[in-house]
Amino acid sequence: AIWDGATALRIGGTLADRYALPRRRVSYESDLSVERLELGSVVELTDDELYLDRALALVEDLAVGAGSALLSLLILDPYPRAYT
């Protein structure tokens, strides 16, 4: 339970910031160098087409095949850094 009004406002603001905008998911085909990543790993993502520069992303899925891997990421940074 939270009894302090200032603390409640801060927590509410943090939750609003976290959930106010939909999170983006992206997938990339890569070489096998990503197979060391585990589900839940946090990575930095740079993608010029999406205007991302070192955005934080969470590894949601990793499918390793013969010679390549499919990496699915949840972008944690809600805003492209080009706009902030």
Side-chain angles (χ1 to χ4, degrees):
I2 300 170
W3 302 106
D4 179 55
T7 302
L9 286 173
R10 184 168 183 164
I11 291 171
T14 299
L15 291 174
D17 287 344
R18 181 180 297 170
Y19 298 111
L21 296 174
R23 295 214 176 149
R24 296 181 290 165
R25 288 177 166 79
V26 293
S27 296
Y28 294 96
E29 188 170 341
S30 176
D31 59 24
L32 294 177
S33 65
V34 299
E35 77 176 327
R36 64 178 172 76
L37 295 173
E38 298 178 6
L39 297 182
S41 295
V42 176
V43 296
E44 281 188 348
L45 174 63
T46 297
D47 186 323
D48 293 336
E49 291 180 17
L50 298 177
Y51 301 99
L52 296 173
D53 180 27
R54 297 175 44 213
L56 296 179
L58 188 69
V59 176
E60 285 197 315
D61 192 30
L62 178 62
V64 178
S68 67
L70 183 62
L71 184 64
S72 297
L73 302 172
L74 171 66
I75 300 172
L76 300 175
D77 195 359
Y79 304 101
R81 294 180 194 258
Y83 298 118
T84 58

